[in-house]
Amino acid sequence: AIKRYSKITDKETEALIKKILLRHKSAVENYKKGDKRALQFLMGEVLKKSGKRADAVVVRKILERELKN
């Protein structure tokens, strides 16, 4: 049971984020146009898909880095 609640690795988080960004291109565009709520939406999607096992701080850091590209 402990395994189920363990955090996923940064590498797994990064792979998940890349999938989410491809799936939600409109949110990515909105973020690049200055809509900060889009970042919150994308973070929520990542956390939801990870079963809340991704570290929110890590998710935000990777998302911000990926969205700059």
Side-chain angles (χ1 to χ4, degrees):
I2 295 169
K3 183 90 172 137
R4 195 176 72 189
Y5 297 108
S6 63
K7 295 290 183 190
I8 60 175
T9 67
D10 290 3
K11 201 171 204 96
E12 289 171 309
T13 301
E14 192 166 353
L16 182 59
I17 286 171
K18 288 182 179 188
K19 286 181 190 170
I20 297 288
L21 292 178
L22 287 173
R23 206 172 288 148
H24 296 286
K25 290 182 192 291
S26 62
V28 172
E29 289 306 312
N30 290 342
Y31 177 81
K32 290 182 177 183
K33 290 176 188 169
D35 184 358
K36 299 300 177 201
R37 290 175 306 170
L39 179 64
Q40 296 300 320
F41 168 77
L42 291 166
M43 281 188 67
E45 289 298 300
V46 174
L47 294 172
K48 194 181 345 175
K49 292 285 185 218
S50 74
K52 295 186 178 150
R53 289 174 48 231
D55 183 321
V57 175
V58 173
V59 170
R60 182 180 204 100
K61 185 177 72 174
I62 296 172
L63 263 176
E64 288 176 339
R65 185 187 71 217
E66 290 294 320
L67 289 166
K68 284 180 183 168
N69 298 336

